[in-house]
Amino acid sequence: MNDMNDIAHMHLAYSLAEKAIGRTSPNPYVGAVVVKDGVIIGHGFHEGPGQPHAEIVALRRAGRRAKGATLYVTLEPCVHWGRTPPCVDAVLPAELARMVVSSLDPNPLVFRKGLRRVRAAGIPVTFGVLEDRNRRLNEAYTKYITRKIPFITLKAAITLDGRMATRTFDSRWISSAASRDYIHLVRAENDAIMVGIHTVLRDDPLLTVRHPNWPGKRITRVILDPGLRFPLEARLLATLGRGAVIAVANGRADRAKAVALNKAGVEILTLPGHGAALDLGRVFAELGRREIASVLVEGGGRVATSLLESRLADKAILAISPRLIGGDASVSVFGGRGADIVADALSMTSVSVFRLGEDMIVEGYL
């Protein structure tokens, strides 16, 4: 059993770590608290790449009072040089009486090495306090740092009968204003948004983060566009200050159009092949090479179906509206052939459900 004081202080450390959600990629979210004689004398969190890590911020605030104190940190201290020096080199001279670490860092450069260094220096370490909380908080970081591909979340606004749009492709608005506001918060937590070219051609979306909590938030926009039909008059091209735009094409794409789009500020990512569909696995691998650790896939129906059929999505967020569209020609969130038997159906796990406006938001893992 973990000491109740350890649990309380680690909860505080996690509350600090969560302040950085959407700001640290491809780094993890980490919080730290320094406690001496029951009093918090230092606290901090990692604010973003190139910024001091959480334990460094907390120890600086504690200063000389850190001697004989306990350091609570949500992730084991790093031992390697990146954009900043190794955290262990700052932790050991602080002469701590004890450390409490919630979770190991899955980064192969760090994994267990931080704990070994601290223990080798004679500092007692308690490990595993609220470890489950870290798994959820840093799910994107864990996948990216171990597999070098982004964490993929499928988002869709659907009706009770699973439709994303009518047979005329009208979808405004299936979800409520409250749901749409929430999705902008979800966008802000991701590195990139992905849609298919049909969404760009039909809706001419901005694909930006528009929420008062996130002024100026930049996010990469990824357009799956095998034949480079991306219109040069698209509204996206007026929003390049809000994040890069990447058009993913294949070998059949027109080179002159690629040059024109590139001059307009669009990055062209060309993958081998000449078919009508792109290999999403290769697309995500290329995005991972660009240090994109999380992608929110917003559709439409063809992209959602391809993602689900290929079992590449890690998570789904469904805003379910109390409407019924019906019709064989309307757009389904999961088309294709479908399962032959119920036992083969794709299931969501660790499902949570809550209400926003008229809608029910269902979130779970795939």
Side-chain angles (χ1 to χ4, degrees):
M1 291 291 292
N2 292 309
D3 181 88
M4 292 304 294
N5 287 325
D6 285 352
I7 293 172
H9 290 129
M10 192 60 76
H11 272 304
L12 176 57
Y14 272 109
S15 296
L16 291 166
E18 289 168 354
K19 289 178 177 290
I21 287 177
R23 307 181 196 278
T24 67
S25 184
N27 293 351
Y29 304 124
V30 186
V33 177
V34 184
V35 179
K36 189 172 186 179
D37 299 326
V39 178
I40 296 170
I41 59 173
H43 64 277
F45 63 95
H46 178 50
E47 296 188 20
Q51 299 298 311
H53 289 188
E55 50 270 60
I56 305 302
V57 177
L59 288 170
R60 284 177 181 173
R61 285 201 167 108
R64 294 180 180 178
R65 295 175 296 166
K67 183 177 180 179
T70 298
L71 172 63
Y72 294 85
V73 63
T74 59
L75 202 66
E76 73 174 305
C78 65
V79 296
H80 68 297
W81 277 86
R83 294 182 175 96
T84 58
C87 291
V88 165
D89 291 348
V91 169
L92 299 186
E95 299 183 74
L96 297 165
R98 178 173 172 251
M99 275 190 70
V100 181
V101 178
S102 178
S103 184
L104 295 169
D105 189 334
N107 186 341
L109 296 174
V110 182
F111 185 67
R112 296 190 181 276
K113 298 181 179 71
L115 288 189
R116 288 197 204 105
R117 285 280 305 276
V118 173
R119 284 172 169 154
I123 301 174
V125 178
T126 299
F127 171 75
V129 179
L130 301 183
E131 188 176 9
D132 286 344
R133 189 165 174 180
N134 185 73
R135 289 194 186 99
R136 181 66 61 90
L137 177 64
N138 280 310
E139 58 193 10
Y141 168 74
T142 297
K143 182 182 179 184
Y144 169 75
I145 206 66
T146 56
R147 298 174 57 188
K148 297 303 179 185
I149 54 176
F151 186 89
I152 310 302
T153 300
L154 172 64
K155 166 264 170 182
I158 62 174
T159 57
L160 288 173
D161 53 347
R163 308 298 180 173
M164 299 176 69
T166 68
R167 68 177 184 275
T168 63
F169 303 107
D170 178 57
S171 61
R172 293 188 179 180
W173 293 104
I174 286 178
S175 58
S176 67
S179 293
R180 298 195 298 274
D181 187 66
Y182 174 68
I183 292 304
H184 278 279
L185 290 174
V186 174
R187 281 184 179 182
E189 296 178 2
N190 285 268
D191 294 344
I193 305 171
M194 175 182 287
V195 300
I197 186 59
H198 293 94
T199 296
V200 174
L201 294 173
R202 286 195 300 263
D203 300 339
D204 195 19
L206 295 174
L207 301 179
T208 54
V209 177
R210 301 184 297 281
H211 194 281
N213 289 0
W214 290 91
K217 166 73 179 185
R218 291 175 56 85
I219 188 167
T220 298
R221 282 72 60 82
V222 181
I223 315 301
L224 301 175
D225 187 10
L228 277 190
R229 294 190 288 157
F230 195 123
L232 289 168
E233 64 276 9
R235 293 197 301 162
L236 265 172
L237 298 181
T239 68
L240 294 176
R242 303 293 298 275
V245 175
I246 302 174
V248 187
N250 63 24
R252 72 175 183 175
D254 182 84
R255 291 186 179 181
K257 182 64 174 293
V259 170
L261 284 170
N262 194 252
K263 286 182 178 178
V266 177
E267 179 185 351
I268 308 299
L269 171 57
T270 304
L271 297 179
H274 295 78
L278 294 163
D279 182 337
L280 289 181
R282 297 197 65 169
V283 174
F284 292 133
E286 289 294 331
L287 295 180
R289 278 190 269 275
R290 287 163 169 75
E291 291 195 338
I292 292 175
S294 57
V295 178
L296 181 66
V297 179
E298 295 200 4
R302 295 184 188 183
V303 175
T305 295
S306 179
L307 190 67
L308 293 170
E309 285 184 332
S310 59
R311 301 299 197 263
L312 289 172
D314 299 291
K315 186 177 182 178
I317 300 176
L318 305 176
I320 304 176
S321 168
R323 294 178 174 83
L324 296 167
I325 287 178
D328 293 337
S330 57
V331 181
S332 172
V333 68
F334 193 5
R337 174 173 175 167
D340 290 327
I341 57 175
V342 174
D344 292 337
L346 189 60
S347 298
M348 292 175 67
T349 62
S350 301
V351 175
S352 62
V353 181
F354 58 95
R355 186 169 179 173
L356 279 178
E358 299 176 344
D359 302 338
M360 297 299 295
I361 307 298
V362 178
E363 299 185 3
Y365 294 84
L366 295 165

